Amino acid sequence: MIGLGSKENLYWISILLFVGTYAMIILEKFFHRVPAALLGGTLAIFLGVVTPEGAWEAIDHNTMFLLIGMMVIVSVLIESGFFSILSYVALKFTKGDPFKIILTFTMLTAVLSAFLDNVTTVLFMIPILISITSKLKLKPVPYIIATVLASNIGGTATLIGDPPNIIIGSLGGFTFMDFIVNIAPIVVITHIIGTIVFIGMMKYQGHLEVKMTDAEELKRIIEGQKIEYDVILMRKGLIVFGITIILFFLHHVLHLEAGTIALFMASVLMLWSRENPEKIFERVEWTTLMFFLGLFVVIGGLEHSGVFEDAAHMVAGVITDPISGILILGGLSAFISGIVDNIPFTMAMSYVLIDLGKTAAFNVEPLWWALALGACLGGNLTIIGASANVVAAGLAEREGYPIKFFDFVKQGTPVTVVTVIVALGLLWLKYIIFGV
């Protein structure tokens, strides 16, 4: 580890490291995002921005455990043939209609994401979606992006839907019902408008055109799917998956992180199923996990050097009333969460809001909801804006459908801008005009 002097030097080096890493991720034609993130992370340790111990602490172990655990459970369910059956059911239900496919998957994903972690929902939905679209000769990538955007919007609705909400609920003292009353109605309207925008974009880009014009051929595809399944393995997998979901709902009561629950239940399933662990781990997205590992350390450098704390206080410094606060905090939270991990920024901003609540001459509660909306919805801005985005990109790439950085931005940015404006506008109306 090389020491580079003053804290101020390390402050600017951490920013340069982040910008450099981000630039390499954007220039994916020349650099793969995984080694780019790992290089940035190891450079942060090498240059002394963070110590090895600090780098280890910067890794969000809850996210990593959650990813590994749910990937293992999903891997067993894939092996059992469960997703083949779901793919068949979905094909029959939608009858191969692209419009019905996009509408069904975005609505179902949004609802599931409100009550499950976004990553769990994406791990569950994306394999089915890729199977259906590829069979129908549709381009899977736009459908995958639409589903991911829906997961991030839906996850905004509840206390347990997205990690920033868990932080806000814990530090701000808000309950599950507080989120249902204050955020969920806004998210429902926002999701409907966001879906209209995305479907309109897909229609304009020609992604909703039916490729299977031969009715008989379409019928053969739907009816002729070869489904192989292991009933005993599927039963074990679904029992463990169901218990895992129940424990997710109870994790506050049990005082256990979702990641701990997922990893524990995955271990139980591997022992119970007696499947070959090497075979199961082959389906785990190790490249995605390594990407997160490097990115967490890079962002940990920003947090360790005080960049997030300064940004949070800068935002608080220009807030003079709830009206400006909702727009400023919500808008900046969305932008920042689109380019960096939203967890450390939400944490830093939450402590600032706690202090602001002690001294401000106005009610700061609307600012908490603005932070929740901005931090969660802003994740749709770029492919690295939310954990679900990165996981979906990894799953798609493994199946031969890589999602490019700018392809995601072109689809995600319009939806993000519209949904953030709508959500913050509705929050503004709720508190400023109706006073509730």
Side-chain angles (χ1 to χ4, degrees):
M1 184 173 68
I2 299 175
L4 293 176
S6 69
K7 186 176 180 180
E8 184 178 355
N9 286 343
L10 296 178
Y11 183 95
W12 291 108
I13 289 170
S14 69
I15 294 175
L16 287 173
L17 272 177
F18 170 74
V19 172
T21 303
Y22 202 83
M24 285 194 291
I25 292 170
I26 292 174
L27 297 172
E28 55 197 340
K29 184 177 180 181
F30 307 100
F31 308 100
H32 193 284
R33 63 176 176 268
V34 176
L38 287 173
L39 177 63
T42 51
L43 270 176
I45 302 171
F46 187 75
L47 297 175
V49 175
V50 291
T51 62
E53 294 79 12
W56 181 252
E57 291 173 2
I59 298 167
D60 188 339
H61 296 91
N62 180 51
T63 298
M64 298 295 283
F65 289 170
L66 177 66
L67 287 169
I68 295 171
M70 294 312 298
M71 283 176 180
V72 167
I73 293 172
V74 168
S75 175
V76 173
L77 287 173
I78 290 173
E79 182 68 23
S80 74
F82 177 67
F83 289 101
S84 297
I85 294 174
L86 286 184
S87 175
Y88 172 74
V89 172
L91 260 178
K92 289 203 73 172
F93 176 75
T94 60
K95 297 179 181 177
D97 186 331
F99 178 77
K100 288 182 181 178
I101 291 171
I102 194 71
L103 198 60
T104 300
F105 273 84
T106 52
M107 287 180 62
L108 187 57
T109 298
V111 172
L112 288 174
S113 292
F115 300 101
L116 301 177
D117 184 270
N118 298 21
V119 171
T120 302
T121 307
V122 165
L123 282 168
F124 194 79
M125 300 297 286
I126 296 300
I128 307 169
L129 189 60
I130 291 176
S131 174
I132 291 174
T133 50
S134 59
K135 283 184 175 69
L136 296 172
K137 301 180 182 178
L138 298 169
K139 293 181 179 179
V141 169
Y143 293 83
I144 294 169
I145 295 175
T147 302
V148 173
L149 298 182
S151 78
N152 290 327
I153 295 172
T156 311
T158 67
L159 173 68
I160 61 174
D162 217 4
N165 287 359
I166 297 173
I167 294 169
I168 290 168
S170 176
L171 297 181
F174 298 108
T175 65
F176 189 91
M177 285 308 300
D178 289 332
F179 277 84
I180 294 295
V181 171
N182 291 281
I183 293 289
I186 292 174
V187 172
V188 170
I189 298 171
T190 302
H191 170 68
I192 292 170
I193 294 174
T195 301
I196 292 170
V197 170
F198 199 90
I199 288 177
M201 289 169 53
M202 290 187 70
K203 179 73 175 175
Y204 176 76
Q205 294 164 1
H207 295 306
L208 295 182
E209 294 178 4
V210 178
K211 304 299 182 184
M212 302 296 298
T213 54
D214 187 332
E216 287 300 319
E217 185 181 358
L218 178 60
K219 185 179 180 180
R220 282 196 298 272
I221 289 175
I222 295 175
E223 300 295 340
Q225 283 199 83
K226 186 179 181 182
I227 302 174
E228 296 180 357
Y229 56 91
D230 182 332
V231 175
I232 296 174
L233 182 61
M234 190 185 304
R235 187 185 298 125
K236 292 178 180 179
L238 289 174
I239 289 172
V240 169
F241 181 76
I243 294 173
T244 304
I245 301 307
I246 293 170
L247 292 177
F248 281 167
F249 277 101
L250 299 174
H251 77 99
H252 282 297
V253 178
L254 299 172
H255 303 291
L256 291 171
E257 294 281 3
T260 304
I261 293 169
L263 199 57
F264 170 74
M265 293 307 298
S267 304
V268 170
L269 180 57
M270 284 193 290
L271 283 171
W272 190 21
S273 67
R274 296 188 178 182
E275 287 290 297
N276 185 346
E278 291 183 5
K279 191 174 182 180
I280 292 174
F281 283 126
E282 281 177 3
R283 288 198 179 93
V284 172
E285 291 291 324
W286 296 110
T287 52
T288 300
L289 294 170
M290 291 299 102
F291 177 76
F292 275 120
L293 195 70
L295 205 58
F296 277 138
V297 177
V298 173
I299 293 170
L302 293 175
E303 185 178 15
H304 182 74
S305 59
V307 174
F308 284 125
E309 187 177 351
D310 287 351
H313 282 95
M314 192 181 302
V315 173
V318 296
I319 295 174
T320 56
D321 55 71
I323 299 176
S324 66
I326 287 173
L327 302 178
I328 293 170
L329 178 57
L332 283 178
S333 297
F335 175 74
I336 292 172
S337 295
I339 58 175
V340 300
D341 182 45
N342 52 20
I343 293 173
F345 176 77
T346 302
M347 186 79 74
M349 198 67 233
S350 293
Y351 285 115
V352 171
L353 287 179
I354 291 172
D355 292 337
L356 190 64
K358 297 174 183 177
T359 58
F362 57 87
N363 180 19
V364 300
E365 183 176 328
L367 304 185
W368 285 101
W369 304 128
L371 175 61
L373 290 169
C376 295
L377 296 176
N380 281 334
L381 194 62
T382 69
I383 200 168
I384 63 171
S387 301
N389 306 4
V390 180
V391 171
L395 291 171
E397 187 171 12
R398 170 172 282 197
E399 297 299 323
Y401 304 104
I403 301 175
K404 302 296 183 184
F405 185 92
F406 283 109
D407 286 342
F408 192 99
V409 168
K410 282 190 292 186
Q411 306 288 354
T413 299
V415 175
T416 303
V417 171
V418 171
T419 53
V420 169
I421 290 173
V422 169
L424 294 180
L426 290 171
L427 182 65
W428 185 85
L429 287 172
K430 180 180 185 294
Y431 276 94
I432 307 308
I433 294 182
F434 299 107
V436 292

